[in-house]
Amino acid sequence: MGSDFMAIPLIDIGPLVEKIDDPSMVNDADLLEVVRMLDDACKEAGFFYVKGHGITESLMKEVRDVTHKFFQLPYEEKLKIKMTPQSGYRGYQRIGENVTKGKPDMHEAIDCYTPIRPGKYGDLAKPMEGSNLWPENPSNFEALLENYINLCRDLSRKIMRGIALALGGAIDAFEGETAGDPFWVLRLIGYPVDIPEEQRTDTGCGAHTDYGLLTLVNQDDDICALEVQNRSGEWIYATPIPGTFVCNIGDMLKVWSNGIYQSTLHRVVNNSPRYRVSVAFFYESNFDAAIEPVQFCREKTGGAAKYDKVVYGEHLVKKVLTNFVM
């Protein structure tokens, strides 16, 4: 769960982004300093901000702006891309349709997943087969978001290379059968403020950990709402820092590292009088990967595996099938 941290660390990952794919730079001092900081952050908090990541602040803002524009549309317009089981659980969900630990969340969202063609993973992925539902309005939505997804996917791959080194593994430890064909999830989330009293609960999104390897959160610059729990049970604000992503590690990395890194509880409470948007990109393992504690992490933690093997796709499908009230 992390330590009694009172603030989330900020890391300039510029040297890692520039050098991590160059084999001759693996021992570069600046790169190794970023790796050390990633290790500290993953052990202490499970959360960190990154700057120097190479995705422009203007693009991050454009993605939030187009998300705001979609959520401002009339309800009937938003329902044109309504999430259903037939859509592979992709598309728009209304306020209260997302459920965390049995309690409706006070947000609306668009859920996007890596497209899955029928039969690709056999029965494993059958409930989630399909392509994403993109709105026609705003007109630039699909092109903008697909470009953004590609950039986030590459950035996440580079950060995971740094995390592999931080754990003492090979630089490509998460590639191949683990995450060489990484599944991704994108959630565009809106937190309204004008919710009828009889429908309202106290949380925009209930306390939870994320399922995969790494999450990148692009949140509105001027509203504090994302909170992270430290070991003492205190909730610490992930106060927005313009131009940064808030990153956190997920359940698959906890299992893979045999608990060296822990996924940290977090929640969203929007007490602001203004509508808030957050765009979360989840970088996962291969859909059909069987994740279990890796040998060199087991050796660092007493030798025994602390977690059972988890097939990522099974884990995700089980969550997806119980996360929504439709």
Side-chain angles (χ1 to χ4, degrees):
M1 184 181 286
S3 64
D4 289 341
F5 63 92
M6 297 306 292
I8 295 167
L10 170 63
I11 306 174
D12 183 346
I13 61 169
L16 178 129
V17 169
E18 293 164 19
K19 300 170 183 177
I20 196 70
D21 288 337
D22 182 348
S24 69
M25 301 302 286
V26 171
N27 294 313
D28 176 82
D30 293 337
L31 172 62
L32 292 178
E33 177 61 12
V34 175
V35 168
R36 185 195 64 76
M37 293 173 76
L38 284 172
D39 186 45
D40 286 348
C42 289
K43 284 176 176 167
E44 292 299 310
F47 267 77
F48 49 95
Y49 299 92
V50 295
K51 65 178 184 177
H53 47 69
I55 298 177
T56 65
E57 189 171 347
S58 61
L59 177 60
M60 294 175 71
K61 183 176 187 303
E62 190 178 1
V63 167
R64 297 195 307 272
D65 287 348
V66 81
T67 304
H68 272 283
K69 285 176 184 172
F70 174 82
F71 288 133
Q72 287 164 3
L73 292 173
Y75 183 54
E76 298 71 30
E77 185 74 16
K78 292 186 279 192
L79 282 182
K80 289 180 179 178
I81 60 162
K82 177 174 168 51
M83 173 195 288
T84 64
Q86 292 71 37
S87 71
Y89 296 90
R90 294 163 170 80
Y92 171 73
Q93 57 181 249
R94 297 170 296 176
I95 297 163
E97 282 190 328
N98 196 84
V99 173
T100 303
K101 295 180 181 170
K103 195 171 184 180
D105 292 322
M106 294 298 98
H107 69 247
E108 56 185 335
I110 301 175
D111 279 17
C112 310
Y113 298 99
T114 303
I116 303 176
R117 57 177 169 73
K120 181 175 182 180
Y121 298 109
D123 290 341
L124 178 65
K126 198 163 282 301
M128 298 188 65
E129 289 175 349
S131 300
N132 290 310
L133 303 180
W134 299 110
E136 292 180 5
N137 185 16
S139 60
N140 64 330
F141 197 100
E142 180 177 356
L144 177 69
L145 267 295
E146 288 197 331
N147 176 52
Y148 180 75
I149 287 164
N150 287 334
L151 293 172
C152 286
R153 179 175 161 168
D154 190 55
L155 173 59
S156 300
R157 179 187 62 80
K158 290 179 176 180
I159 294 173
M160 289 309 302
R161 287 192 137 205
I163 286 175
L165 293 178
L167 284 165
I171 197 169
D172 60 354
F174 289 103
E175 290 154 38
E177 292 183 1
T178 302
D181 180 24
F183 194 76
W184 56 261
V185 179
L186 184 77
R187 296 201 78 222
L188 302 108
I189 312 166
Y191 297 91
V193 290
D194 53 348
I195 301 169
E197 193 61 41
E198 66 275 10
Q199 190 184 358
R200 178 182 285 277
T201 68
D202 57 357
T203 46
C205 187
H208 64 284
T209 57
D210 291 343
Y211 314 153
L213 294 172
L214 181 72
T215 307
L216 308 181
V217 177
N218 173 9
Q219 58 177 341
D220 274 340
D221 284 344
D222 52 356
I223 299 174
C224 277
L226 175 59
E227 301 177 356
V228 180
Q229 191 177 62
N230 68 17
R231 191 174 288 157
S232 295
E234 297 170 283
W235 289 101
I236 309 299
Y237 271 126
T239 304
I241 302 175
T244 68
F245 286 101
V246 182
C247 300
N248 62 280
I249 56 180
D251 298 339
M252 293 301 110
L253 185 53
K254 174 184 74 174
V255 172
W256 195 89
S257 70
N258 208 32
I260 294 174
Y261 296 163
Q262 294 280 325
S263 45
T264 303
L265 275 174
H266 51 288
R267 68 184 185 187
V268 176
V269 181
N270 184 18
N271 291 321
S272 164
R274 283 172 296 126
Y275 193 103
R276 174 183 182 264
V277 151
S278 172
V279 179
F281 178 83
F282 303 90
Y283 186 84
E284 321 286 83
S285 63
N286 297 356
F287 191 85
D288 55 355
I291 304 297
E292 59 187 326
V294 72
Q295 182 62 35
F296 73 87
C297 288
R298 286 169 53 178
E299 289 168 3
K300 290 181 172 186
T301 50
K306 297 180 181 179
Y307 304 97
D308 293 334
K309 182 188 295 186
V310 182
V311 176
Y312 167 74
E314 287 179 5
H315 185 61
L316 179 66
V317 168
K318 191 178 354 176
K319 295 280 190 181
V320 166
L321 294 182
T322 56
N323 260 18
F324 305 114
V325 177
M326 298 184 180

